[in-house]
Amino acid sequence: MKIFAIGMNYLQHTLELHGEAFKPKEPVIFLKADSSILKDNKPFFLPDHLGRIDYETELIVRINRLGKSIAPQFAHRYYDAVSVGIDFTARDMQARLRSEGNPWDLCKGFDGAACIGEWIPKEKFLDVQRIHFHLDINGKTVQEGCTSDMLYKVDEIISYISRFFTLKTGDILYTGTPAGIGPVSINDHLEAYIEDRKVLDFNIK
């Protein structure tokens, strides 16, 4: 199983990270290790050797069939469910890796860094590109977004990735985070929602 993720897919997020709003020339793709998956509302154990750990709340998509070189107009056939996921990021380490021109694997793919919510069949939604989602920490909304604001839409991303990787049943796609990222601390209580449905409820240990 592969976990794909896209960076800088919301305009305001590029602004908060880089000080300017822009659209990357192509989707920015990275992968997470399968051992980074955190599911079933299990707690996230804060790694004390990685520095600041930030939450990045994202719509995630579940691939449901084998595919390669998929045309954008057919990409909707290759996923069957969506949810909210948290792309945990070791922010201090990411800054260092970026400054040295190194890959993001260590700051994005460590154990527990890919938190996955309850899957909802995509047929429950009129349009995947009009889904609202948000994250609450300790009862306060800290991040919210709508998939209509994506710079690269879900079907575009799937088509692009399939030019380089064969998609397989069970693969997961993190579609990017909107603005509003921030750090987590021990004893934080995280709850994530897709529209008004809670799909994640877990604690930081």
Side-chain angles (χ1 to χ4, degrees):
M1 186 195 70
K2 300 180 292 299
I3 305 169
F4 300 102
I6 180 168
M8 298 180 288
N9 200 29
Y10 287 80
L11 204 59
Q12 292 304 308
H13 179 56
T14 67
L15 179 62
E16 72 177 347
L17 275 187
H18 301 283
E20 60 175 320
F22 64 95
K23 180 178 180 177
K25 293 181 180 179
E26 295 180 320
V28 177
I29 305 296
F30 59 94
L31 287 89
K32 288 174 170 279
D34 59 3
S35 57
S36 68
I37 287 180
L38 181 68
K39 59 183 180 178
D40 301 326
N41 291 322
K42 293 179 180 177
F44 173 72
F45 289 90
L46 203 61
D48 56 11
H49 64 292
L50 293 181
R52 168 175 162 166
I53 303 295
D54 280 2
Y55 59 80
E56 297 188 8
T57 312
E58 312 190 12
L59 182 90
I60 60 175
V61 172
R62 184 176 68 191
I63 302 300
N64 68 332
R65 60 192 296 186
L66 189 72
K68 175 71 174 174
S69 300
I70 302 164
Q73 64 267 32
F74 300 126
H76 67 277
R77 301 177 181 176
Y78 289 83
Y79 57 100
D80 64 349
V82 300
S83 189
V84 175
I86 308 295
D87 170 20
F88 283 117
T89 303
R91 191 66 66 197
D92 296 334
M93 177 177 283
Q94 185 184 43
R96 177 175 61 80
L97 292 171
R98 274 182 170 158
S99 69
E100 297 170 354
N102 291 327
W104 294 1
D105 301 59
L106 294 179
C107 69
K108 289 282 195 178
F110 55 90
D111 288 353
C115 187
I116 295 173
E118 172 193 354
W119 292 109
I120 303 173
K122 70 174 184 179
E123 288 76 16
K124 298 289 186 179
F125 304 94
L126 292 176
D127 185 349
V128 169
Q129 296 301 156
R130 288 192 296 169
I131 295 176
H132 293 83
F133 57 95
H134 71 274
L135 174 69
D136 291 356
I137 297 183
N138 303 326
K140 179 182 177 181
T141 299
V142 295
Q143 190 177 23
E144 52 191 330
C146 181
T147 56
S148 62
D149 295 327
M150 286 180 178
L151 298 175
Y152 290 98
K153 308 305 183 186
V154 173
D155 291 358
E156 293 178 286
I157 299 168
I158 287 175
S159 176
Y160 180 81
I161 290 174
S162 73
R163 292 164 50 189
F164 306 94
F165 299 92
T166 297
L167 298 180
K168 295 185 177 181
T169 301
D171 287 349
I172 297 170
L173 170 63
Y174 280 69
T175 60
T177 190
I181 61 175
V184 292
S185 301
I186 292 175
N187 296 325
D188 279 346
H189 179 208
L190 277 64
E191 299 169 286
Y193 295 79
I194 188 165
E195 299 294 350
D196 59 354
R197 178 169 176 172
K198 185 190 293 187
V199 293
L200 264 176
D201 187 339
F202 69 106
N203 296 302
I204 306 296
K205 298 289 189 179

